[in-house]
């Protein structure tokens, strides 16, 4: 059993996640971390840029032109951007689990609203919505106008006293099932107004569905290469799956047992036998919910004690600044779109200079646009509020 030190794990982040050496393109950048978080539309662009230095046009082309990167609701009810060839695996495993959960909740709320057969009613609404999308893709608002039943109001999920149109929930069920995807974006690059599109129309053909066992096996295989070594708990959390599913997938993959620096049992990809060593320094500025920041449940080896300064109460990470595989700060934009690094520990002259260089490159990439995030790290909330107030008053 091989022991993997924290130093080696940090070197692996630099190499495997295409942060120390840039990927050759957008697709390679996505594969480097298995898939990208896509809760915020801008995060896809910023995560891809951090790993490939691609401009916005190239990233948009991968999403909407070549369609080699596909957004899909999957693990932990989160939207991810998957390589197109991983879509079938996610669709049959993590996404299918979410689809079942969302459907059950919607059926329950429909019956609480007085609909006698909630399951049949939800099935009918999904069929109507899918037929309308196959006829012509549309935004949620457009589809509600075309399919009046999608404006039916029932209790909002988790809020029984609040009534809301059922359309967005029906579309979310269809998205989790993989019947429809988030196609063209009707908004700007940093906002999400998806044109819901049937998967076979978007990809040219239906890519099929791997069964649950095969799907989890493929997701775990790729995760181990990107994020290994990792623990069983890391995988259970990342996949939003059961221990049974994770243990079976690890066995199916033939994962190699390993030991972390503190003695915790972990797993490596079966072909990942040689120690990884990175020579040279590297710095990176990663966006909200970046896959590197969110890749493990156990984060001490790269985060130390900084979690309360960077994560909200639900465990969501804001932007992060990295130096040689450790989070050493965050970053934000000033009202003039200049990127500013905010250290959360003393930086060496080399680290400070490298991160400032990254900030200058990212400032140029933004090209004057200020992009808001819904996950402002606690350490900069006061700073952002003061800047916004100063900008509003003209100071």
């Amino acid at each position: 059993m091989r022991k993997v030190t924290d130093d080696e794990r940090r070197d692996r982040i630099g190499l495997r996640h295409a942060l120390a050496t840039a990927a050759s393109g957008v697709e390679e950048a996505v594969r480097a971390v298995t898939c990208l978080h896509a809760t915020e539309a801008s995060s896809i662009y910023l995560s891809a840029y951090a790993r490939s230095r691609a401009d916005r046009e190239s990233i948009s082309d991968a999403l909407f032109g070549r369609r080699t990167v596909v957004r899909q609701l999957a693990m932990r009810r989160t939207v991810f951007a998957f390589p197109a060839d991983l879509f079938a695996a996610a669709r049959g495993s993590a996404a299918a689990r979410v689809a079942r959960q969302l459907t059950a909740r919607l059926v329950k709320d429909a019956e609480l609203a007085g609909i006698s057969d909630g399951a049949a009613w939800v099935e009918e609404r999904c069929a109507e919505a899918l037929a309308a999308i196959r006829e012509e893709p549309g935004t949620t608002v457009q589809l509600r106008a075309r399919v009046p039943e999608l404006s039916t109001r029932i209790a909002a999920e988790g809020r029984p006293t609040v009534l809301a149109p059922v359309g967005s929930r029906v579309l979310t069920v269809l998205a989790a099932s993989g019947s429809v995807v988030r196609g063209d974006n009707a908004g700007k690059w940093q906002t999400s107004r998806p044109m819901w599109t049937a998967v076979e129309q978007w990809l040219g053909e239906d890519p099929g569905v791997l069964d649950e066992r095969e799907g989890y096996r493929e997701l775990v295989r790729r995760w181990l290469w990107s994020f290994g070594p990792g623990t069983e708990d890391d995988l259970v959390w990342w996949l939003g799956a059961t221990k049974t599913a994770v243990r079976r997938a690890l066995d199916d993959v033939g994962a190699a047992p390993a030991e972390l620096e503190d003695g915790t049992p972990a797993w490596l990809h079966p072909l990942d036998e040689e120690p990884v060593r990175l020579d040279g320094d590297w710095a990176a500025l990663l966006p909200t919910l970046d896959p590197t920041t969110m890749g493990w449940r156990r984060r001490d080896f790269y985060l130390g004690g900084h979690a309360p300064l960077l994560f909200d109460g639900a465990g969501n990470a804001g932007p992060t600044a990295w130096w040689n595989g450790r989070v050493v700060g965050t970053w934000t934009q000033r009202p003039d779109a200049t990127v500013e690094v905010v250290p959360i520990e003393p930086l060496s002259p080399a680290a400070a200079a490298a991160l400032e260089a990254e900030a200058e490159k990212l400032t140029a990439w933004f090209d004057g646009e200020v992009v808001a995030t819904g996950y402002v790290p606690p350490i900069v909330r006061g700073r952002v509020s003061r800047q916004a107030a100063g900008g509003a008053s003209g100071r």
Side-chain angles (χ1 to χ4, degrees), residues 7-355:
D7 283 341
E8 181 181 344
R9 296 184 79 188
R10 290 188 283 267
D11 283 349
R12 284 170 170 270
I13 289 175
L15 286 171
R16 296 286 171 82
H17 291 199
L19 295 172
T21 303
S24 61
V26 176
E27 290 82 3
E28 185 177 317
V30 177
R31 288 179 182 280
V33 284
T34 302
C35 54
L36 302 180
H37 275 259
T39 301
E40 290 193 344
S42 61
S43 288
I44 303 176
Y45 286 80
L46 292 166
S47 289
Y49 160 76
R51 295 169 172 84
S52 67
R53 303 304 181 185
D55 57 29
R56 288 198 288 277
E57 291 73 19
S58 297
I59 300 167
S60 291
D61 187 42
L63 287 166
F64 309 116
R66 300 191 304 275
R67 302 177 185 181
T68 51
V69 179
V70 183
R71 292 173 293 172
Q72 168 68 18
L73 187 69
M75 297 83 77
R76 308 185 311 280
R77 295 179 61 170
T78 298
V79 181
F80 290 87
F82 288 93
D85 68 346
L86 192 55
F87 178 82
R91 187 185 188 188
S93 56
R97 176 178 170 85
V98 170
R100 290 192 296 269
Q101 294 169 341
L102 293 173
T103 300
R105 180 71 256 186
L106 185 52
V107 167
K108 182 178 180 179
D109 286 344
E111 291 177 348
L112 288 174
I115 296 167
S116 58
D117 189 344
W121 186 83
V122 170
E123 184 177 353
E124 289 173 6
R125 301 292 82 74
C126 287
E128 290 167 348
L130 182 56
I133 290 167
R134 284 174 171 158
E135 181 179 335
E136 182 182 357
T139 65
T140 301
V141 172
Q142 289 169 342
L143 289 166
R144 281 178 53 196
R146 289 164 50 197
V147 185
E149 291 80 1
L150 296 181
S151 295
T152 303
R153 290 179 175 269
I154 65 172
E157 185 176 5
R159 294 179 293 170
T161 61
V162 179
L163 299 182
V166 75
S168 60
R169 294 177 67 180
V170 168
L171 293 168
T172 302
V173 167
L174 290 173
S177 72
S179 300
V180 304
V181 296
R182 290 161 171 79
D184 286 320
N185 186 19
K188 295 182 179 180
W189 69 272
Q190 69 271 42
T191 60
S192 182
R193 289 185 59 208
M195 298 288 291
W196 298 103
T197 307
V199 63
E200 68 273 12
Q201 294 172 328
W202 186 248
L203 296 179
E205 62 179 5
D206 192 314
V209 185
L210 294 186
D211 68 33
E212 181 177 313
R213 183 168 184 167
E214 287 184 273
Y216 277 129
R217 181 195 64 78
E218 185 60 16
L219 287 175
V220 167
R221 185 182 71 82
R222 298 204 193 190
W223 184 93
L224 285 173
W225 185 258
S226 298
F227 295 92
T231 68
E232 181 183 289
D233 283 347
D234 287 331
L235 272 164
V236 168
W237 173 82
W238 188 82
L239 287 168
T242 64
K243 287 186 177 181
T244 298
V246 167
R247 288 170 180 169
R248 185 172 62 185
L250 287 167
D251 185 60
D252 289 345
V253 168
E259 185 178 82
L260 303 183
E261 186 169 299
D262 63 2
T264 301
W267 299 93
L268 285 164
H269 189 284
L271 301 180
D272 198 3
E273 300 175 353
E274 298 300 321
V276 172
R277 175 66 183 167
L278 175 62
D279 294 321
D281 297 326
W282 62 273
L285 299 179
L286 302 183
T288 291
L289 297 173
D290 185 84
T292 298
T293 317
M294 301 294 295
W296 299 265
R297 186 174 186 178
R298 292 167 51 100
R299 301 166 178 151
D300 289 352
F301 76 98
Y302 65 88
L303 193 59
H306 298 322
L309 300 174
L310 298 168
F311 285 73
D312 65 18
N316 298 307
T320 49
W322 293 70
W323 174 245
N324 291 340
R326 294 179 57 252
V327 175
V328 296
T330 183
W331 61 272
T332 187
Q333 280 186 285
R334 298 172 185 153
D336 65 358
T338 300
V339 173
E340 178 184 6
V341 176
V342 183
I344 52 179
E345 62 179 57
L347 301 180
S348 68
L355 286 168

